[in-house]
Amino acid sequence: MDFFLLGAIIIGCSSVILFAMRRYFSPRGTKLPKLPETWWTPGTESSVNNDIRPFKVTFTEEVIKDLKYRLNHTRPLTPPLKDVAWTYGTNTDALRKFLDHWSNNYNFEERERYINQYSHFKTNIQGLDIHFIHVKPSTTEGKRVLPLLIVHGWPGSIIEFYKIIPFLTSPKPEYDFIFEVVAPSLPGFGFSSAATIPELSALQMSVVLKNLMLRLGHDKYYVQGGDWGASVIHTMSCLYPQHVLGMHSNLCTVFSKWTLLSSELKSALRLPSFLPWAKTKKAPGFGLLAETGYYHIQATKPDTVGVGLNDSPAGLAAYIIEKFSTGTNPSYKKRADGGFLEKFTYDELIDNLMIYWVSNSITTAMRIYAELYTKSNRSLSALLESTPIKVPSACAQFPHEIMEQDPSKLRERFVNLLRATKMPRGGHFAAFEEPELLADDIWNSVDEMEKWNKKHRETVICEQERSKL
């Protein structure tokens, strides 16, 4: 058979299959779910109140003494193989230096003051004591104050936002607004309490954070996030456009059934390499697969691995700093020092570890992975992934992020995507690595969203109300 005729037949067949499957898998008239206001600690309903209470992070003498004892009595670390750098995971030569700094050079009193430089609070939402930082601009200079909810992920914490907050709460002459920042610890993370029953995934956390903003008196606000924080704000933007004025994400993704299926079909139906015009490509996704073993563990057995991480500060450090190495730049795993000191200091990374260590929260934080894969949450996630997000949206795409999708693909989900910015540098922990770069993109994006809302916001709200019918 003629090669060109064979190619035409393959292309024709694949087009028909893709068209048919798209019609089958695309949502048609799907009614948006209404997530319940679940009480996540049954039995405490009558013993809590709605007060907003000041909170202070404290490194007690007892905690410091115990931590130093554990660090100083860490069993001998297994030496790395010759020339493997971080390709086998955390390089123990680099880890030894890190642990020495934590034990001997980390100034606990000074870092405690650093962490408490912003105002911390707690309030009970749906049975959970939610911890959050609340930073208002010191001067508004006649500018409009826009509430901005910023949400972290794993293995990060509120510490990720310490360097970006001043860039968001200081006036810029070119804008007529300024931000008031609310940065919560996700339920089960840090000083936010954990659920005592299953099913509290990032999806349900969107309800909790929506209610937190309402508790603070913010009926309308902007949202920003990366990692799991991106998942939370995507869900909030989908379900609560009457509250969300706009969404800025540094991990925009589209994982609808159709998107996944079409990718697989296109891969399966890729023209055979013997055709004259076909190009050979490396197997896709191997890099992502190689770096997500932790994801499978935490999505299936978080409590098992949590025992060791809760008990050993060396183990906790090894597990988490490896993510800050490779997540910042995948090429760093080829460096013996892990490269993380290019963007972070020892103290900054240890601040993040201290949030997990002092609160004893690594296990409950890792459960966010497992909760997404319960039977009911898998179905709910699939529905939400296939539901368009209509609030004005912006995506900051950092070159060393764990994955990136083309803006044309993103618009299948973020239908009012105003910006998709290719950032000049940075990786997965954008606010922590490149606070000024990310802040500038947030300012620019919100400025465009404000203009867009003046023309189109009522249309979005009306469409949301019709979807409930």
Side-chain angles (χ1 to χ4, degrees):
M1 181 181 291
D2 183 271
F3 281 144
F4 289 94
L5 178 58
L6 175 59
I9 292 173
I10 292 173
I11 292 171
C13 290
S14 63
S15 298
V16 171
I17 293 171
L18 288 172
F19 177 76
M21 297 303 286
R22 179 161 196 166
R23 282 183 60 86
Y24 181 79
F25 280 97
S26 295
R28 294 186 295 275
T30 303
K31 186 177 180 181
L32 274 177
K34 182 177 181 180
L35 298 188
E37 307 270 327
T38 304
W39 193 267
W40 293 106
T41 54
T44 65
E45 291 85 347
S46 62
S47 61
V48 301
N49 59 49
N50 295 337
D51 292 348
I52 297 172
R53 312 180 303 276
F55 177 77
K56 182 179 179 181
V57 176
T58 304
F59 300 159
T60 66
E61 184 178 344
E62 181 183 4
V63 165
I64 296 171
K65 183 178 178 180
D66 174 72
L67 171 60
K68 285 193 171 187
Y69 178 85
R70 291 170 189 259
L71 287 168
N72 293 330
H73 289 80
T74 299
R75 297 182 69 188
L77 301 174
T78 303
L81 297 172
K82 183 181 178 181
D83 299 329
V84 300
W86 287 58
T87 58
Y88 277 57
T90 300
N91 183 292
T92 49
D93 288 342
L95 176 63
R96 189 174 293 107
K97 296 177 183 178
F98 185 92
L99 297 178
D100 178 71
H101 183 92
W102 195 357
S103 179
N104 299 311
N105 301 113
Y106 183 79
N107 188 319
F108 290 88
E109 184 178 347
E110 179 183 289
R111 300 314 291 179
E112 182 187 279
R113 286 197 299 271
Y114 173 80
I115 292 172
N116 286 304
Q117 67 179 286
Y118 299 125
S119 298
H120 294 246
F121 301 91
K122 281 190 176 184
T123 190
N124 196 279
I125 305 289
Q126 296 171 239
L128 300 168
D129 265 352
I130 299 300
H131 163 252
F132 61 98
I133 293 172
H134 193 177
V135 184
K136 298 180 180 181
S138 57
T139 176
T140 59
E141 298 180 357
K143 297 179 183 291
R144 296 177 297 123
V145 178
L146 302 179
L148 175 66
L149 175 72
I150 54 178
V151 190
H152 67 83
W154 187 94
S157 68
I158 52 159
I159 294 298
E160 292 184 69
F161 301 128
Y162 270 61
K163 292 184 288 188
I164 197 174
I165 286 174
F167 290 117
L168 296 171
T169 56
S170 299
K172 284 180 173 285
E174 62 267 40
Y175 300 110
D176 67 349
F177 58 85
I178 194 169
F179 296 109
E180 173 182 334
V181 174
V182 178
S185 294
L186 288 172
F189 286 72
F191 303 105
S192 285
S193 61
T196 60
I197 56 175
E199 303 287 336
L200 178 54
S201 74
L203 307 177
Q204 289 78 17
M205 289 180 189
S206 69
V207 184
V208 175
L209 296 193
K210 178 263 295 183
N211 286 333
L212 170 64
M213 294 302 281
L214 291 175
R215 174 73 52 80
L216 296 176
H218 298 312
D219 181 67
K220 295 177 176 58
Y221 45 86
Y222 286 91
V223 294
Q224 200 286 325
D227 195 82
W228 282 111
S231 179
V232 172
I233 66 166
H234 296 168
T235 305
M236 293 179 74
S237 300
C238 181
L239 296 181
Y240 309 118
Q242 71 273 31
H243 299 302
V244 176
L245 292 168
M247 184 217 75
H248 184 284
S249 172
N250 51 286
L251 188 56
C252 289
T253 54
V254 181
F255 288 131
S256 66
K257 287 181 179 179
W258 161 247
T259 300
L260 296 175
L261 180 66
S262 63
S263 296
E264 289 299 317
L265 283 173
K266 288 174 182 177
S267 177
L269 295 170
R270 191 174 289 125
L271 298 179
S273 59
F274 62 80
L275 292 178
W277 62 88
K279 294 181 179 179
T280 304
K281 299 178 77 174
K282 292 182 180 179
F286 179 75
L288 187 61
L289 179 65
E291 298 300 331
T292 51
Y294 77 94
Y295 192 109
H296 184 79
I297 293 171
Q298 292 169 201
T300 53
K301 310 293 182 185
D303 288 27
T304 300
V305 69
V307 173
L309 303 184
N310 266 335
D311 194 59
S312 168
L316 182 69
Y319 200 69
I320 287 183
I321 65 171
E322 185 254 324
K323 302 297 179 284
F324 279 93
S325 170
T326 308
T328 301
N329 188 328
S331 70
Y332 286 170
K333 66 183 176 181
K334 298 178 181 178
R335 293 175 48 166
D337 64 359
F340 50 77
L341 292 179
E342 295 287 334
K343 292 293 183 73
F344 315 110
T345 66
Y346 279 143
D347 282 352
E348 288 172 342
L349 293 172
I350 294 171
D351 289 342
N352 183 61
L353 291 176
M354 287 296 292
I355 297 297
Y356 283 100
W357 185 260
V358 172
S359 62
N360 198 26
S361 64
I362 188 63
T363 300
T364 54
M366 292 190 297
R367 286 177 183 165
I368 193 174
Y369 291 82
E371 299 297 7
L372 187 63
Y373 293 98
T374 64
K375 183 177 180 180
S376 59
N377 279 339
R378 286 200 309 271
S379 300
L380 179 59
S381 177
L383 174 59
L384 289 171
E385 287 284 351
S386 300
T387 302
I389 292 173
K390 297 180 180 179
V391 302
S393 304
C395 301
Q397 298 183 315
F398 287 82
H400 299 304
E401 184 53 272
I402 56 176
M403 69 176 301
E404 179 184 304
Q405 291 174 309
D406 188 86
S408 62
K409 180 66 65 177
L410 294 177
R411 286 189 175 88
E412 294 179 9
R413 185 182 189 193
F414 307 97
V415 296
N416 291 311
L417 183 65
L418 304 186
R419 291 167 58 91
T421 311
K422 299 282 187 182
M423 308 302 282
R425 59 186 181 275
H428 185 64
F429 303 97
F432 207 12
E433 297 172 48
E434 297 289 348
E436 189 169 8
L437 265 183
L438 182 62
D440 285 346
D441 198 64
I442 294 171
W443 281 97
N444 290 330
S445 298
V446 170
D447 187 47
E448 290 192 28
M449 292 172 188
E450 285 283 284
K451 295 171 183 175
W452 188 94
N453 277 324
K454 288 180 180 179
K455 295 181 179 179
H456 306 290
R457 179 156 178 81
E458 290 304 317
T459 302
V460 171
I461 301 304
C462 290
E463 288 179 355
Q464 174 73 4
E465 291 303 317
R466 284 198 297 271
S467 71
K468 296 177 181 178
L469 299 178

